[in-house]
Structure formats: C-alpha cells, structure tokens
Amino acid sequence: MSKLRIAVLFGGASTEYEVSLLSASSVLRNIPEDQYDVIKIGITKEGAWYLYSGPIHLIEQNTWQTNRYLTPVALSPDRKSPGILHFTGREGYEHCELLNIDCVFPVLHGKNGEDGTIQGLLELSGIPYVGCGVQASSVCMDKVLTHTILDSAGIPGAKWRKAFPSDLDRLDELEAEWSRELGYPMFVKPANAGSSVGVTKVKDSSQLRPALELAFTVDQKAIIEEGIDGIEVETAVLGNENPQAAAVGEIVPTQEFYSYTAKYSDESTDLYIPARISQEDTENIRETAVRAYRVLGCSGMARVDFFVKRDGSGIVLNEPNTIPGFTSISMYPKLWEYSGLPYPQLLDRLIQLALERKR
Ligand SMILES: Nc1ncnc2c1ncn2[C@@H]1O[C@H](COP(=O)(O)OP(=O)(O)O)[C@@H](O)[C@H]1O
Ligand SMILES: [Mg+2]
C-alpha cells in the first residue's frame, strides 16, 4: 500500500506565527515516516502560501523563507480536483500541477489557523484535516462565546464581563460595576487571541484603561474576568465521538502569570506531570474537560485548561485550545506520552481521527 500524503501547514497570518514554527518543527520531526509521506506548506505572516522543500531547522529558526526552497502553492476549494495547486516556472506561475493530499495537519495557532477560517477552506476542498471543525474552532477561539456556552451547560468558570472600544467612553461607570461584581485583580484579555498576547492582570482601577486599550489593539472585543487564585492545570482531550482525557499536568509560572514570555522564552516555567493536586480534583478535571469538549462540539483534539482554587472550593475551567502547542516541551504531547501514547503514535492517532471524521 502506498503511503498517505500529509500536508503540514505552518506559520500563518497570526500573532502566534512564531509559536507555530516551533510546534510544526516538532510535529515534522515526529510524524512516522514509514507510514506517511509529508509535505511542508509554509504560510508567511503576511499570508502568502509556499511549498517548502528545505530542512526543518530553518523553520524552527524562522529563516525558512529562503527563495531556493520555496514555490507558490494554493489550496483549491474545488472538490472535483481536491489538493494543492503547485505553481512553477520562471515567472512563478507558468505551470500548475495538482498535488493530491490525503490529510492536512494545520499546525497553526491563533487567528487564521485555530479560528475556523482555514477549517472552512478545508471543508470546501473536501480534504480531511486534523483537529476541530469550523464551528468548534471559531467558538473556542472566542473567549466570550466559550464562556457563554460553558455557563449555559453549568460548567464552572470565572465570572466575566465583555467590553467593546466604545465602552472606554463610560469606563468609570463600568469600573464601578466590575470592581463590585468581579473584584481585583481582574484579567483583561482580547476575546480572540492566544499565547497570552494582549492579556493584563489588572490590580487597581488605574490599570484598567491601558489594559483595555492593549486588548483592543488585538481584537475589537475584550473580556474581563475575576482573577482566580488557583493552581494552573491542563488536560489533553483526544477523540471524535468518544473523547478521552489524558493525565492532568500543572504549570508553575515564575512570573506574575503565564504570560507570552513565560510561555516561550523563559525556560524556568516548571511543569509537573501529574499535577500536584488531589485524586478527586484530577478526576473532576478529566470529566469536566470531556464534558466541555462535547458541549463545544470539539473533535480530533483540544487541550482544556483549568484552575484548582487554592481556597479548596473546587475547579474552574479557564479555556479550551483547539490547536494546542506541539513543541517538544508542550503539555499536550507530554500529557499523552505520560498516559501511554508516545508523540509519533499521537500524531498517527490524530491523522486517523481526521480520516475517520471524513468517512
Ligand atoms: N481569570 C484568571 N484568573 C487568574 N489567572 C488568569 C485568569 N485568566 C488568565 N489568567 C492567566 O493568564 C494566562 C493567559 O490567559 P488565557 O485565558 O489562558 O489566555 P490565552 O488564550 O492567551 O492563553 C493564563 O495562563 C493564566 O496564567
Ligand atoms: Mg491559555
């Protein structure tokens, strides 16, 4: 039997472009080569698509955009010829060939990758793809929509409010309400973002306006949450109709909170697998994660993040991530490894789930 051809997408027009390069490098190093024929498709931060034929370490170092390794490609939404259109020739677009693809693995984080947009294009093309579909991707990307759905399902979350740029004109009034209902510290975040981009821990009223202004540079909608004093823990969910949760892991940020720099440049963030929490909290987290996964309509995979409150009053779901970090030190693959599914087998399982959903 010939090998299945997998297209790994990396980069993307997103504030999390750099994170994707690290995740995708790890994925490319771990895909079982005896089973899959892998092609690499890079999307620049500006949104240009290329077939990349160079080595993986140039992706990791963010120097993959060297001309000699790049030829333009496009994903055709046309179902009579599903695949990647590959353009060659002196002017770049003289010849076009169709590369058949059995499955796409979008290793893209944040906007234009994790939010249902690329998933929509892949649905049109009819090509199976790894991870959640259009609706779950877009709902999970938006923290306001996620909170609304999880609240309606009775899944515990932080108290929250939403805000738009026009609300800056009546901030005094809103601050009075929020400080009464949510208290300080509050967390101000763009509704649609990730990797802690634009997130501020607000400790008093003077910090509120700059925090909202920062969030509005990323998205036109912001969410304000009560600050939870808790242990940060995460579990990894995998599956379609019958999703399973892996072990629970714990993150100990060395900074004030788990910020962008703490996530990707500060190597001193400690991870503990399993998390140092009670058996009861662990089971509650695994069950709640699967329940949230179903309520949100997820398929393929999602990492679901929680807080275990330090006052002993239980757990709070922080957020789902439909394309979690996939670097060698990332929680999602590490949790599955701990739970008995090594990284290459996890990737194989994700591809099989994509094919199964398509059938
Ligand atoms: N309500 C909250 N209470 C306490 N800490 C929070 C809260 N919301 C976010 N944080 C901290 O900020 C980090 C980033 O926020 P998060 O909601 O996970 O956004 P992102 O999608 O950018 O990862 C979290 O990992 C956590 O450390
Ligand atoms: Mg997060």
Side-chain angles (χ1 to χ4, degrees):
M1 213 180 78
S2 64
K3 291 193 217 174
L4 294 181
R5 189 184 273 162
I6 310 298
V8 171
L9 305 189
F10 64 89
S14 161
T15 49
E16 290 168 86
Y17 168 90
E18 285 82 5
V19 185
S20 160
L21 300 185
L22 301 180
S23 286
S25 304
S26 276
V27 166
L28 289 166
R29 289 200 178 101
N30 283 284
I31 287 193
E33 281 174 26
D34 52 331
Q35 295 172 55
Y36 300 108
D37 172 21
V38 177
I39 68 165
K40 309 186 275 294
I41 295 179
I43 304 174
T44 67
K45 217 170 179 171
E46 293 72 41
W49 289 47
Y50 295 103
L51 179 68
Y52 171 70
S53 56
I56 297 169
H57 71 266
L58 297 189
I59 300 177
E60 198 164 33
Q61 294 162 7
N62 194 5
T63 51
W64 62 278
Q65 286 181 58
T66 347
N67 283 332
R68 66 187 173 121
Y69 294 124
L70 307 182
T71 45
V73 287
L75 180 72
S76 165
D78 182 347
R79 285 198 193 171
K80 77 178 178 305
S81 49
I84 304 279
L85 301 174
H86 182 212
F87 302 100
T88 49
R90 257 182 310 161
E91 299 300 317
Y93 293 91
E94 281 164 338
H95 310 291
C96 176
E97 65 169 332
L98 181 72
L99 300 176
N100 290 311
I101 302 292
D102 297 298
C103 183
V104 171
F105 193 157
V107 191
L108 306 169
H109 301 302
K111 270 192 191 135
N112 299 312
E114 201 172 343
D115 61 355
T117 50
I118 191 95
Q119 288 76 12
L121 180 59
L122 290 162
E123 281 297 334
L124 291 176
S125 76
I127 304 173
Y129 56 94
V130 170
C132 291
V134 177
Q135 201 168 56
S137 299
S138 62
V139 166
C140 290
M141 184 73 203
D142 187 309
K143 291 177 166 51
V144 168
L145 291 179
T146 303
H147 267 293
T148 305
I149 291 175
L150 294 180
D151 286 356
S152 73
I155 291 173
K159 283 188 271 180
W160 61 279
R161 293 290 185 274
K162 66 180 174 214
F164 299 95
S166 61
D167 290 326
L168 290 171
D169 299 339
R170 53 178 196 114
L171 195 54
D172 289 348
E173 179 194 329
L174 289 170
E175 192 278 330
E177 200 243 277
W178 296 344
S179 59
R180 193 174 60 242
E181 299 298 325
L182 311 177
Y184 288 102
M186 294 171 197
F187 276 79
V188 173
K189 320 174 191 180
N192 289 274
S195 294
S196 303
V197 174
V199 175
T200 310
K201 180 175 182 177
V202 172
K203 294 179 190 164
D204 60 52
S205 59
S206 71
Q207 296 172 348
L208 192 55
R209 184 177 292 275
L212 284 165
E213 283 168 350
L214 176 68
F216 291 139
T217 63
V218 181
D219 190 18
Q220 289 299 295
K221 182 165 64 173
I223 186 160
I224 303 92
E225 290 178 359
E226 73 174 304
I228 302 291
D229 182 18
I231 302 167
E232 250 186 286
V233 295
E234 310 186 331
T235 187
V237 183
L238 177 69
N240 291 339
E241 271 102 82
N242 185 25
Q244 309 285 320
V248 177
E250 175 184 346
I251 289 152
V252 184
T254 45
Q255 302 180 1
E256 183 94 35
F257 67 96
Y258 201 30
S259 65
Y260 188 89
T261 45
K263 281 177 183 173
Y264 304 109
S265 28
D266 178 355
E267 291 183 3
S268 56
T269 293
D270 293 325
L271 304 185
Y272 292 90
I273 301 176
R276 300 166 301 173
I277 58 175
S278 71
Q279 193 57 34
E280 190 189 341
D281 285 335
T282 299
E283 283 319 310
N284 194 6
I285 282 163
R286 296 178 67 230
E287 275 165 35
T288 309
V290 169
R291 200 147 62 84
Y293 189 90
R294 288 181 191 277
V295 166
L296 293 164
C298 295
S299 55
M301 64 173 165
R303 197 191 71 223
V304 190
D305 302 348
F306 292 83
F307 297 108
V308 178
K309 292 206 255 176
R310 285 186 212 276
D311 64 6
S313 63
I315 63 165
V316 166
L317 196 153
N318 176 31
E319 58 152 0
N321 291 280
T322 55
I323 306 188
F326 260 95
T327 71
S328 51
I329 56 155
S330 291
M331 216 30 140
Y332 191 91
K334 275 202 171 295
L335 288 172
W336 277 114
E337 196 163 85
Y338 180 82
S339 304
L341 195 61
Y343 200 147
Q345 274 145 268
L346 170 63
L347 296 177
D348 181 37
R349 183 85 191 102
L350 286 166
I351 293 166
Q352 293 306 323
L353 286 167
L355 301 174
E356 176 189 301
R357 183 179 54 192
K358 187 68 199 165
R359 281 195 292 271

